[in-house]
Amino acid sequence: MMPVFPAGRLNDSMNSGEIQELQTAAIAEIAASGDLSALDAARVKYLGRNGRVQDILLALREAPVDQKRELGRLANEFKNSVQAAVDERREALQSAASVAAFDVTLPGRWPHRGTRHPVTQIIDRAVEIFGQLGFTVADGPDIETPFHNFDALNTPANHPSRDPKDTFYLGDGTLLRTHTSPVQIRVMQSRQPPVRIIAPGRCYRPDTTDATHSANFHQVEGLYVDRKVSLADLKGDLTYFARQMMGPNVKIRFRPHFFPFTEPSVEYDFSCHVCGGKGCRVCKQSGWIEISGAGIVDPNVFKAVGYDSTQYTGYAFGMGVERIAMILLGIPDIRMLYDNDVRVLRQF
Amino acid sequence: MRSVEKHPNADKLSVCRVFDGETELQVVCGAPNVRAGGRYPLARVGATLPDGSLTIKKSKLRGVESFGMLCAADELGLSGDHSGLMELSETWAAGTPLAEVIGPPDTVFELEITPNRPDCLSLIGIARELAAVYRKPLQKPAITGVSEALSTDLSLVKIEDADACARYTARLLEYVTVGPSPDWMQRRLERAGIRAINNVVDITNYVMLETGQPLHAFDRDLLAEGRVVVRRAKKGERMQTLDESEHELDPTMLVIADAVRPVAVAGVMGGAGSEIRNETKNVLLESAWFDPALVRTTSRKLGLSTESSYRFERGADIEGVEWASRRAAQLLIEFAGAKLVGDVVDSRPEAAPLRKIEGPYQKIRDIMGIDVADETIREIFTHLGLGVLDAPSGHYALEIPSFRADLERDVDLVEEVARIHGLDKIPAPSPRAVVDPRAAENGTPRAKAKLRSVLAGLGLSEISNYSFVSDALLDLLDRGNQPKRVPIPRPLSADHSVLRISLAPQMTATLGRNRAHQATRAALYEIGRTFERGADGVVEIERLCIGLFGPVGRIGFDRHSAVESEEIFLWAKGLIEALLATMGLDAPTVTPHPVAYAEQGASVEFHIKGVSIGTLSLLNRSTRKEWRMTDPVAIAELDVAPLLTNALAVRVFHDIPAYPSITRDVAMIVSDSVTHEDIIRVMREAAPPELSAIELFDIFKGPAIGEGRRSVAYSLVYISARRTLTDDEANTYHNSVKGALRKQLSAEIREG
Ligand SMILES: [Zn+2]
């Protein structure tokens, strides 16, 4: 309960401090009233015919002349602000009464909730990030010629990747592309440097399906050709990508490797975004996560598309979309990406 | 091992008397190779195996007491060998701690060697890399006591195909004593994954690991006429290889033969008929160079992949052939008591001049994007064994040794410098800020991303199926497209034997599978390429497929009452209309259209500006039955390209009405044969342009209306862009609409 001033202080007139104190108490009591009848009781108590406001008016009447002006202002303020508090509280109590009529805990009724497949989410994100660096998206067919998939990419005629064990041939001289690199060739055949493209797409290899292999998978290919493009540019751009995609502190590591279409060639790893490189389950305690291959475009590739390798250099990289999706989203088995189980899809 | 006796109660167990240097113990053992006089690792009572799996206790096996355990190599964590007890050299005294026998703990590095670096398939090759990294001199084993002099007697080796076998050396050794090789050699071989066999074979393998040059030792007494012929296999010729499998050879294969028959598949595996035996005395040691492509095809054909074929396939060093032979001869003299007979037979072409590569240092720095001093680069070249020649200032000139066939051009040298200097030293600068005006060309991917977002916003979940599918699944939905399908000649399985010609079959299967997983509803879409054979080859078409089942469009709580065909069809139609509108397209016209997998009369085609963009169907009963789906399923298939045409177009502002509108309703009874579209068309034709909107708000069927008829009600909104319409004007318009409905559709207008 609020402090109540003892009645019968008629001879002991209220001073200005007491009026203000009373006002504070009245507003608090009004705000705390739980229903309309409690509110009305409080209103009568303070503003009613026999309410406390009468004490104030009495004090005003009895006050010396030099204090009348000040006490008059306080009396007015008391009446106005207490009345405003009553009105506000009444509004609140009335509107609460009008919405309390139904069960607000019932389930919501908007049934539409869609999700994006993790693979296309990663592709769109990669396109967006490289878009920030001025890369345009390029596209090519799934069914390719050996020229675009192998020959122009400096892959020797007897290279093991051409074996029917590693490539789906369609029997009419065409094949299902084994990587998105043929898009590089198509782009370079159609335009002159500088070239900055990114080519996401589906690829195919006759791999027996297991937790990390799928005969049908997606890659994102990147190509940047200009004057004096270096391994450092490659590392810088991949670092930018990795930090945008995986997290702000991710670093890139190069390891020497060999691909027919790049010289020098590297494999690149991301430092583990989960443990920051200290070692954890995700990175198999190594602190690093293997991503894919990259390198400086081999002069023989430029020759195949008619670029002058004395004027231009370029870098190219690939990345496995499913692999990044699995690492980033914690998906344990690549097959889950193609099972299309709504219990999985709903999560992304 | 003092003695071995058969266990009285178990055929496969032996009771052994073992001397541990102090006392004699009884140990029961199950290994097949235990024999009196042998030396074996013994775990005494109280010992724990390295993996912690077992602490040896005194025990009883089938009634015989045992005081320890004799160990196989795998039980000691030394190799994967569990074929028998680990045999130790008989030179060790009983009771020697095993740690002394096997030597200090070792570290095994597993290296992934890229196919361009066959020189690194050897210890010397790796040592050369390390020498360059640490800038230390490379030390190869010194060879003494083996003559390099060439034999003039060429009858020992005859090469019939000098392209396939460009170099062949043979050394003859006599007085060979076959036995176990030294423990250190066995250990190193085992750690490299090669099983120790006997000193002669082990030495050839050991030198292969050292040098990367595969070697082969023949028992010369088993060679007809004691000589070898390098030739193509004859058609139908057969041979048993060392792994005891029998092969039929053909003329694409190169063999080493004696005077009569093949004794080895060149570069792949030796034959069982000429192998080193315990009683072998005279050895012909082969070290040769075989054509990589030929070894590869032979190895594939025979299904034999060996340490030897692996190295020849990637290219052995033709100039290293004799050195490896000399090194093996030295070890045979040292560890097999052998004596050389005569000089080395070396059949080879003239040594080719070494390749030279020249170029500016600056290009190397430019490609790496890092500053490395000329001097440092030169130092790296030197330590990698490249011959550094004089060159003009700012340039290098190199002589490339034969073991580095991968170095052909100046760009090939960049990796040498980057690798040795350290790829970690390459910086990761901020991306170059270049604005490419062509970046604006990303229209199609942006439109496609929008399409996906809109579909998600409409409540659909995206799926992704393989591009491969089975004929059987395609047939279930549509046999008619068989001639246009694109089969995969060598599929991984029958389930993946053809490229998909439509997304609908896998969508149907996906819905069915989720149904089987107790999903009560699903609203899915997939965007993917389909493949069909056209007149000019295979055409790839990107399509959008939408699949619905269950009460996906129901907003109320009613999830249990059956979904009606009409209901799910209209949900699908509504969402396609919303999709098209959001993608900036005009409202489509929709016409009935047969679809192979549709229920009779429940399939339509969408057109925009007269161009078909796809179909919507309810899946027919027989197809649904395959997945036990009893309730209706809606499947739509649309072409993606037309959906993207207007997605990014800028919309132009249209005035919103400045004057109030007047709404008039019309309710009527029409025959079931009159469609909603008929009614809309008649209304539009009869009304002036002031008719701005028509909305259906009621449909009713029932006995009160009569069989074959239904009651429908519409709200029509009239508005003028120039002034406020009067009630009279609106009534006039509305009356002409009603008149037309009566006249053209025989509608009974319900007044009041
Ligand atoms: Zn980690």
Short mmCIF file of all heavy atoms in Angstrom, two decimals, chain A residues 109 114-115 117 120 136-137 139-140 142-143 169 194 202 204 214 216 228 231 233 235-236 298 339-340 342, chain B residues 366-367 409 423 426 429 432 438-439 442 452 456 460-467 489 513-514 529 540 555 557:
data_model
loop_
_atom_site.label_atom_id
_atom_site.label_comp_id
_atom_site.label_asym_id
_atom_site.label_seq_id
_atom_site.Cartn_x
_atom_site.Cartn_y
_atom_site.Cartn_z
N ARG A 109 -0.89 -19.44 -37.79
CA ARG A 109 -1.59 -20.09 -38.91
C ARG A 109 -1.11 -19.66 -40.28
O ARG A 109 -1.87 -19.64 -41.22
CB ARG A 109 -3.09 -19.79 -38.81
CG ARG A 109 -3.74 -20.52 -37.68
CD ARG A 109 -5.22 -20.42 -37.81
NE ARG A 109 -5.84 -20.80 -36.54
CZ ARG A 109 -7.13 -20.73 -36.31
NH1 ARG A 109 -7.94 -20.28 -37.25
NH2 ARG A 109 -7.62 -21.10 -35.16
N GLY A 114 9.44 -21.70 -46.61
CA GLY A 114 10.30 -22.40 -47.57
C GLY A 114 11.75 -22.34 -47.17
O GLY A 114 12.14 -21.54 -46.32
N THR A 115 12.56 -23.22 -47.76
CA THR A 115 13.99 -23.24 -47.44
C THR A 115 14.79 -23.39 -48.73
O THR A 115 14.27 -23.84 -49.75
CB THR A 115 14.33 -24.43 -46.53
OG1 THR A 115 13.81 -25.62 -47.12
CG2 THR A 115 13.73 -24.24 -45.16
N HIS A 117 18.17 -25.04 -50.67
CA HIS A 117 19.08 -26.18 -50.57
C HIS A 117 20.48 -25.67 -50.22
O HIS A 117 20.92 -24.64 -50.74
CB HIS A 117 19.12 -26.92 -51.91
CG HIS A 117 19.75 -28.27 -51.82
ND1 HIS A 117 21.11 -28.44 -51.95
CD2 HIS A 117 19.23 -29.49 -51.59
CE1 HIS A 117 21.38 -29.73 -51.82
NE2 HIS A 117 20.26 -30.40 -51.60
N THR A 120 22.81 -24.70 -53.22
CA THR A 120 22.57 -23.44 -53.94
C THR A 120 22.80 -22.24 -53.02
O THR A 120 23.17 -21.17 -53.50
CB THR A 120 21.16 -23.39 -54.57
OG1 THR A 120 20.18 -23.41 -53.53
CG2 THR A 120 20.92 -24.55 -55.49
N THR A 136 32.30 -11.79 -62.72
CA THR A 136 31.00 -12.07 -63.31
C THR A 136 30.79 -13.58 -63.36
O THR A 136 31.74 -14.35 -63.38
CB THR A 136 30.89 -11.54 -64.75
OG1 THR A 136 32.03 -11.98 -65.46
CG2 THR A 136 30.82 -10.05 -64.78
N VAL A 137 29.54 -13.97 -63.40
CA VAL A 137 29.22 -15.39 -63.47
C VAL A 137 29.23 -15.84 -64.92
O VAL A 137 28.69 -15.17 -65.79
CB VAL A 137 27.84 -15.66 -62.85
CG1 VAL A 137 27.46 -17.11 -63.02
CG2 VAL A 137 27.86 -15.28 -61.38
N ASP A 139 28.81 -19.43 -67.51
CA ASP A 139 28.08 -20.68 -67.49
C ASP A 139 28.50 -21.51 -68.70
O ASP A 139 28.92 -20.96 -69.71
CB ASP A 139 26.58 -20.35 -67.56
CG ASP A 139 25.74 -21.52 -67.11
OD1 ASP A 139 26.31 -22.49 -66.56
OD2 ASP A 139 24.52 -21.46 -67.31
N GLY A 140 28.38 -22.80 -68.57
CA GLY A 140 28.67 -23.68 -69.71
C GLY A 140 27.81 -24.91 -69.59
O GLY A 140 27.18 -25.13 -68.57
N ASP A 142 26.59 -28.87 -69.24
CA ASP A 142 27.02 -30.06 -68.50
C ASP A 142 27.67 -31.07 -69.44
O ASP A 142 28.60 -31.77 -69.07
CB ASP A 142 25.83 -30.73 -67.81
CG ASP A 142 25.30 -29.93 -66.62
OD1 ASP A 142 25.67 -28.75 -66.51
OD2 ASP A 142 24.54 -30.49 -65.82
N ILE A 143 27.13 -31.15 -70.65
CA ILE A 143 27.69 -32.07 -71.64
C ILE A 143 28.76 -31.31 -72.42
O ILE A 143 28.48 -30.29 -73.03
CB ILE A 143 26.60 -32.62 -72.58
CG1 ILE A 143 25.59 -33.43 -71.76
CG2 ILE A 143 27.21 -33.46 -73.68
CD1 ILE A 143 24.42 -33.95 -72.57
N TYR A 169 31.63 -40.93 -70.45
CA TYR A 169 31.51 -40.63 -71.87
C TYR A 169 30.11 -41.00 -72.34
O TYR A 169 29.55 -41.98 -71.87
CB TYR A 169 32.56 -41.41 -72.66
CG TYR A 169 33.97 -40.91 -72.41
CD1 TYR A 169 34.76 -41.47 -71.42
CD2 TYR A 169 34.47 -39.83 -73.14
CE1 TYR A 169 36.04 -40.99 -71.16
CE2 TYR A 169 35.75 -39.35 -72.89
CZ TYR A 169 36.53 -39.93 -71.90
OH TYR A 169 37.77 -39.43 -71.66
N PRO A 194 41.15 -8.04 -69.76
CA PRO A 194 41.09 -8.78 -68.51
C PRO A 194 39.80 -9.58 -68.34
O PRO A 194 38.75 -9.18 -68.83
CB PRO A 194 41.17 -7.68 -67.45
CG PRO A 194 40.65 -6.46 -68.12
CD PRO A 194 41.03 -6.59 -69.57
N ARG A 202 27.35 -28.00 -62.10
CA ARG A 202 27.35 -29.41 -61.79
C ARG A 202 28.47 -30.14 -62.53
O ARG A 202 28.74 -29.81 -63.68
CB ARG A 202 26.04 -30.04 -62.26
CG ARG A 202 25.26 -30.64 -61.13
CD ARG A 202 23.94 -31.15 -61.58
NE ARG A 202 23.05 -30.92 -60.44
CZ ARG A 202 22.04 -31.73 -60.11
NH1 ARG A 202 21.76 -32.78 -60.83
NH2 ARG A 202 21.32 -31.47 -59.05
N TYR A 204 30.54 -34.22 -62.93
CA TYR A 204 30.24 -35.65 -62.83
C TYR A 204 31.52 -36.48 -62.87
O TYR A 204 32.38 -36.24 -63.72
CB TYR A 204 29.35 -36.08 -63.99
CG TYR A 204 28.12 -35.22 -64.17
CD1 TYR A 204 28.16 -34.06 -64.94
CD2 TYR A 204 26.94 -35.55 -63.52
CE1 TYR A 204 27.04 -33.26 -65.09
CE2 TYR A 204 25.81 -34.76 -63.66
CZ TYR A 204 25.86 -33.61 -64.45
OH TYR A 204 24.76 -32.83 -64.59
N SER A 214 30.40 -38.31 -54.36
CA SER A 214 29.14 -38.39 -55.06
C SER A 214 29.44 -38.25 -56.54
O SER A 214 30.24 -37.40 -56.93
CB SER A 214 28.24 -37.24 -54.57
OG SER A 214 27.10 -37.17 -55.37
N ASN A 216 27.77 -37.07 -58.74
CA ASN A 216 27.14 -35.84 -59.22
C ASN A 216 27.43 -34.80 -58.13
O ASN A 216 27.05 -34.98 -56.98
CB ASN A 216 25.65 -36.18 -59.35
CG ASN A 216 24.75 -34.99 -59.62
OD1 ASN A 216 23.91 -35.05 -60.51
ND2 ASN A 216 24.84 -33.94 -58.86
N LYS A 228 50.26 -9.36 -65.11
CA LYS A 228 50.93 -9.61 -63.83
C LYS A 228 50.01 -10.09 -62.71
O LYS A 228 50.01 -9.54 -61.60
CB LYS A 228 51.69 -8.35 -63.38
CG LYS A 228 52.79 -7.98 -64.37
CD LYS A 228 53.90 -7.24 -63.74
CE LYS A 228 55.05 -7.13 -64.74
NZ LYS A 228 56.12 -6.28 -64.30
N LEU A 231 50.60 -15.46 -57.76
CA LEU A 231 50.15 -16.35 -56.68
C LEU A 231 49.70 -15.53 -55.47
O LEU A 231 48.82 -15.95 -54.73
CB LEU A 231 51.30 -17.27 -56.25
CG LEU A 231 51.60 -18.49 -57.14
CD1 LEU A 231 52.84 -19.19 -56.64
CD2 LEU A 231 50.42 -19.45 -57.17
N ASP A 233 48.17 -12.62 -55.60
CA ASP A 233 46.78 -12.21 -55.88
C ASP A 233 45.82 -13.34 -55.56
O ASP A 233 44.75 -13.13 -54.98
CB ASP A 233 46.63 -11.81 -57.35
CG ASP A 233 47.38 -10.52 -57.67
OD1 ASP A 233 47.30 -9.58 -56.86
OD2 ASP A 233 48.06 -10.47 -58.71
N LYS A 235 46.25 -15.80 -53.48
CA LYS A 235 46.13 -16.00 -52.03
C LYS A 235 45.29 -14.90 -51.40
O LYS A 235 44.45 -15.16 -50.53
CB LYS A 235 47.54 -16.02 -51.41
CG LYS A 235 47.64 -16.84 -50.15
CD LYS A 235 49.08 -16.82 -49.64
CE LYS A 235 49.39 -17.99 -48.75
NZ LYS A 235 50.80 -17.96 -48.29
N GLY A 236 45.49 -13.67 -51.85
CA GLY A 236 44.73 -12.55 -51.29
C GLY A 236 43.24 -12.69 -51.56
O GLY A 236 42.41 -12.52 -50.66
N ASP A 298 48.41 -22.36 -66.95
CA ASP A 298 49.55 -22.83 -67.74
C ASP A 298 49.56 -22.13 -69.10
O ASP A 298 48.52 -21.96 -69.73
CB ASP A 298 49.43 -24.34 -67.93
CG ASP A 298 50.74 -24.96 -68.42
OD1 ASP A 298 51.08 -24.75 -69.61
OD2 ASP A 298 51.41 -25.61 -67.61
N ASP A 339 19.46 -36.74 -50.60
CA ASP A 339 18.32 -37.54 -50.14
C ASP A 339 17.03 -36.74 -50.17
O ASP A 339 15.95 -37.30 -50.28
CB ASP A 339 18.56 -37.99 -48.69
CG ASP A 339 19.41 -39.24 -48.64
OD1 ASP A 339 19.64 -39.83 -49.71
OD2 ASP A 339 19.85 -39.62 -47.54
N ASN A 340 17.15 -35.41 -50.03
CA ASN A 340 15.98 -34.54 -50.05
C ASN A 340 14.94 -34.92 -49.01
O ASN A 340 13.74 -34.94 -49.28
CB ASN A 340 15.35 -34.52 -51.46
CG ASN A 340 16.34 -34.02 -52.48
OD1 ASN A 340 16.98 -32.99 -52.27
ND2 ASN A 340 16.49 -34.73 -53.57
N VAL A 342 12.78 -34.03 -46.04
CA VAL A 342 12.30 -32.72 -45.56
C VAL A 342 12.76 -32.44 -44.12
O VAL A 342 12.91 -31.29 -43.73
CB VAL A 342 10.76 -32.56 -45.65
CG1 VAL A 342 10.33 -32.51 -47.10
CG2 VAL A 342 10.05 -33.67 -44.91
N ASP B 366 57.53 -12.16 -60.54
CA ASP B 366 56.22 -11.64 -60.93
C ASP B 366 55.12 -12.69 -60.72
O ASP B 366 54.03 -12.37 -60.27
CB ASP B 366 56.23 -11.22 -62.41
CG ASP B 366 56.92 -9.88 -62.61
OD1 ASP B 366 57.17 -9.18 -61.59
OD2 ASP B 366 57.22 -9.53 -63.76
N ILE B 367 55.41 -13.90 -61.10
CA ILE B 367 54.37 -14.94 -61.00
C ILE B 367 54.11 -15.29 -59.53
O ILE B 367 52.99 -15.55 -59.13
CB ILE B 367 54.76 -16.18 -61.83
CG1 ILE B 367 54.70 -15.82 -63.32
CG2 ILE B 367 53.83 -17.35 -61.52
CD1 ILE B 367 55.07 -16.94 -64.26
N ARG B 409 59.95 -25.81 -69.24
CA ARG B 409 59.84 -24.40 -69.64
C ARG B 409 60.19 -23.50 -68.45
O ARG B 409 60.20 -23.96 -67.31
CB ARG B 409 58.40 -24.10 -70.08
CG ARG B 409 57.86 -25.07 -71.08
CD ARG B 409 56.34 -25.09 -71.02
NE ARG B 409 55.84 -25.50 -69.72
CZ ARG B 409 54.56 -25.48 -69.37
NH1 ARG B 409 53.65 -25.06 -70.22
NH2 ARG B 409 54.19 -25.87 -68.16
N LEU B 423 55.84 -21.60 -49.76
CA LEU B 423 54.56 -21.04 -50.20
C LEU B 423 53.93 -20.20 -49.09
O LEU B 423 53.13 -19.31 -49.33
CB LEU B 423 53.61 -22.17 -50.61
CG LEU B 423 53.93 -22.82 -51.96
CD1 LEU B 423 53.17 -24.14 -52.12
CD2 LEU B 423 53.56 -21.89 -53.12
N ILE B 426 54.40 -16.44 -49.34
CA ILE B 426 53.64 -15.63 -50.30
C ILE B 426 52.57 -14.87 -49.53
O ILE B 426 51.81 -15.46 -48.76
CB ILE B 426 53.03 -16.53 -51.39
CG1 ILE B 426 54.18 -17.06 -52.25
CG2 ILE B 426 52.02 -15.76 -52.23
CD1 ILE B 426 53.75 -18.00 -53.32
N PRO B 429 47.67 -10.24 -50.13
CA PRO B 429 47.29 -8.83 -50.15
C PRO B 429 45.79 -8.65 -50.34
O PRO B 429 45.10 -9.57 -50.78
CB PRO B 429 48.04 -8.28 -51.37
CG PRO B 429 48.20 -9.47 -52.26
CD PRO B 429 48.36 -10.65 -51.36
N ARG B 432 42.79 -6.66 -55.56
CA ARG B 432 42.97 -5.47 -56.39
C ARG B 432 41.62 -4.82 -56.64
O ARG B 432 40.67 -5.50 -57.03
CB ARG B 432 43.51 -5.86 -57.77
CG ARG B 432 44.95 -6.24 -57.79
CD ARG B 432 45.43 -6.20 -59.25
NE ARG B 432 46.45 -7.23 -59.47
CZ ARG B 432 47.07 -7.41 -60.63
NH1 ARG B 432 46.74 -6.66 -61.67
NH2 ARG B 432 47.97 -8.34 -60.77
N ARG B 438 31.80 -5.14 -66.79
CA ARG B 438 31.09 -6.36 -67.17
C ARG B 438 30.47 -7.07 -65.96
O ARG B 438 29.72 -8.02 -66.11
CB ARG B 438 32.02 -7.31 -67.92
CG ARG B 438 32.25 -6.85 -69.35
CD ARG B 438 33.22 -7.75 -70.07
NE ARG B 438 34.55 -7.68 -69.50
CZ ARG B 438 35.66 -8.01 -70.16
NH1 ARG B 438 35.59 -8.43 -71.40
NH2 ARG B 438 36.83 -7.93 -69.57
N ALA B 439 30.83 -6.60 -64.75
CA ALA B 439 30.23 -7.20 -63.56
C ALA B 439 28.71 -7.06 -63.60
O ALA B 439 27.99 -7.85 -63.02
CB ALA B 439 30.78 -6.56 -62.30
N ASN B 442 25.88 -9.90 -64.53
CA ASN B 442 25.40 -10.98 -63.69
C ASN B 442 23.88 -11.09 -63.64
O ASN B 442 23.32 -11.55 -62.66
CB ASN B 442 25.94 -10.82 -62.27
CG ASN B 442 27.33 -11.41 -62.15
OD1 ASN B 442 27.73 -12.19 -63.00
ND2 ASN B 442 28.05 -11.06 -61.11
N ARG B 452 14.73 -18.24 -56.78
CA ARG B 452 14.83 -19.16 -55.63
C ARG B 452 14.27 -18.50 -54.36
O ARG B 452 13.59 -19.15 -53.57
CB ARG B 452 16.28 -19.57 -55.40
CG ARG B 452 16.81 -20.53 -56.46
CD ARG B 452 18.12 -21.16 -56.00
NE ARG B 452 18.37 -22.39 -56.71
CZ ARG B 452 19.10 -22.47 -57.83
NH1 ARG B 452 19.66 -21.39 -58.33
NH2 ARG B 452 19.27 -23.63 -58.42
N ALA B 456 11.12 -19.77 -52.12
CA ALA B 456 11.22 -20.02 -50.68
C ALA B 456 10.18 -19.19 -49.95
O ALA B 456 9.52 -19.65 -49.03
CB ALA B 456 12.63 -19.69 -50.18
N LEU B 460 8.08 -22.96 -50.42
CA LEU B 460 8.60 -24.19 -51.00
C LEU B 460 10.03 -24.44 -50.52
O LEU B 460 10.81 -23.50 -50.38
CB LEU B 460 8.60 -24.10 -52.53
CG LEU B 460 7.23 -23.87 -53.16
CD1 LEU B 460 7.38 -23.63 -54.66
CD2 LEU B 460 6.32 -25.06 -52.92
N SER B 461 10.35 -25.71 -50.30
CA SER B 461 11.72 -26.07 -49.92
C SER B 461 12.44 -26.62 -51.14
O SER B 461 11.90 -27.44 -51.88
CB SER B 461 11.71 -27.13 -48.83
OG SER B 461 11.30 -26.53 -47.62
N GLU B 462 13.68 -26.19 -51.30
CA GLU B 462 14.44 -26.60 -52.47
C GLU B 462 15.04 -27.97 -52.28
O GLU B 462 15.59 -28.29 -51.22
CB GLU B 462 15.56 -25.58 -52.75
CG GLU B 462 16.27 -25.85 -54.06
CD GLU B 462 17.37 -24.85 -54.35
OE1 GLU B 462 17.86 -24.20 -53.40
OE2 GLU B 462 17.74 -24.73 -55.52
N ILE B 463 14.98 -28.79 -53.31
CA ILE B 463 15.64 -30.09 -53.28
C ILE B 463 16.66 -30.16 -54.41
O ILE B 463 16.70 -29.29 -55.29
CB ILE B 463 14.64 -31.26 -53.43
CG1 ILE B 463 13.93 -31.21 -54.78
CG2 ILE B 463 13.62 -31.21 -52.30
CD1 ILE B 463 13.15 -32.47 -55.10
N SER B 464 17.51 -31.19 -54.37
CA SER B 464 18.48 -31.38 -55.43
C SER B 464 18.62 -32.87 -55.70
O SER B 464 18.96 -33.63 -54.80
CB SER B 464 19.83 -30.79 -55.00
OG SER B 464 20.77 -30.92 -56.03
N ASN B 465 18.29 -33.28 -56.90
CA ASN B 465 18.43 -34.68 -57.28
C ASN B 465 19.55 -34.83 -58.29
O ASN B 465 19.96 -33.86 -58.93
CB ASN B 465 17.11 -35.19 -57.90
CG ASN B 465 16.12 -35.62 -56.84
OD1 ASN B 465 16.40 -36.53 -56.05
ND2 ASN B 465 14.97 -34.96 -56.79
N TYR B 466 20.04 -36.07 -58.43
CA TYR B 466 21.08 -36.36 -59.41
C TYR B 466 20.61 -36.05 -60.84
O TYR B 466 19.42 -36.10 -61.12
CB TYR B 466 21.44 -37.84 -59.33
CG TYR B 466 22.52 -38.17 -58.34
CD1 TYR B 466 22.77 -37.34 -57.26
CD2 TYR B 466 23.31 -39.30 -58.51
CE1 TYR B 466 23.78 -37.64 -56.37
CE2 TYR B 466 24.31 -39.62 -57.61
CZ TYR B 466 24.54 -38.78 -56.54
OH TYR B 466 25.53 -39.09 -55.66
N SER B 467 21.55 -35.78 -61.70
CA SER B 467 21.21 -35.65 -63.12
C SER B 467 20.98 -37.03 -63.74
O SER B 467 20.48 -37.14 -64.83
CB SER B 467 22.35 -34.96 -63.87
OG SER B 467 22.53 -33.66 -63.38
N PRO B 489 26.58 -44.70 -71.36
CA PRO B 489 27.06 -46.02 -71.78
C PRO B 489 27.64 -46.87 -70.64
O PRO B 489 27.47 -48.07 -70.63
CB PRO B 489 28.11 -45.69 -72.83
CG PRO B 489 27.75 -44.34 -73.33
CD PRO B 489 27.14 -43.62 -72.16
N ARG B 513 9.13 -40.74 -51.09
CA ARG B 513 10.06 -41.16 -50.05
C ARG B 513 9.77 -40.42 -48.74
O ARG B 513 9.80 -41.00 -47.66
CB ARG B 513 11.49 -40.87 -50.50
CG ARG B 513 12.40 -42.05 -50.32
CD ARG B 513 13.80 -41.87 -50.88
NE ARG B 513 14.24 -40.54 -51.14
CZ ARG B 513 14.47 -40.05 -52.36
NH1 ARG B 513 14.29 -40.81 -53.42
NH2 ARG B 513 14.90 -38.82 -52.50
N ASN B 514 9.49 -39.13 -48.86
CA ASN B 514 9.18 -38.36 -47.65
C ASN B 514 7.86 -38.83 -47.04
O ASN B 514 7.72 -38.86 -45.82
CB ASN B 514 9.14 -36.86 -47.97
CG ASN B 514 10.52 -36.26 -47.97
OD1 ASN B 514 11.16 -36.15 -46.93
ND2 ASN B 514 11.03 -35.91 -49.14
N ARG B 529 18.93 -28.94 -64.74
CA ARG B 529 18.97 -29.12 -66.18
C ARG B 529 18.38 -30.46 -66.57
O ARG B 529 18.61 -31.45 -65.89
CB ARG B 529 20.42 -29.05 -66.67
CG ARG B 529 20.97 -27.65 -66.56
CD ARG B 529 22.40 -27.55 -67.05
NE ARG B 529 22.85 -26.15 -66.91
CZ ARG B 529 24.06 -25.73 -67.22
NH1 ARG B 529 24.97 -26.57 -67.67
NH2 ARG B 529 24.38 -24.46 -67.06
N GLU B 540 20.23 -29.15 -73.57
CA GLU B 540 20.12 -29.00 -72.12
C GLU B 540 19.12 -27.88 -71.85
O GLU B 540 19.29 -26.77 -72.33
CB GLU B 540 21.48 -28.63 -71.52
CG GLU B 540 22.53 -29.70 -71.72
CD GLU B 540 23.88 -29.35 -71.09
OE1 GLU B 540 23.92 -28.52 -70.15
OE2 GLU B 540 24.89 -29.92 -71.54
N ILE B 555 -4.84 -23.01 -44.15
CA ILE B 555 -4.42 -22.06 -43.12
C ILE B 555 -5.02 -22.45 -41.78
O ILE B 555 -4.45 -22.22 -40.73
CB ILE B 555 -4.81 -20.62 -43.54
CG1 ILE B 555 -3.97 -20.24 -44.76
CG2 ILE B 555 -4.60 -19.64 -42.40
CD1 ILE B 555 -3.88 -18.79 -45.06
N PHE B 557 -6.77 -25.11 -38.74
CA PHE B 557 -6.18 -26.22 -38.00
C PHE B 557 -6.48 -27.55 -38.64
O PHE B 557 -5.93 -28.55 -38.26
CB PHE B 557 -6.73 -26.25 -36.56
CG PHE B 557 -6.32 -25.06 -35.78
CD1 PHE B 557 -7.23 -24.37 -35.01
CD2 PHE B 557 -5.01 -24.64 -35.83
CE1 PHE B 557 -6.84 -23.27 -34.30
CE2 PHE B 557 -4.62 -23.54 -35.12
CZ PHE B 557 -5.53 -22.84 -34.34
#
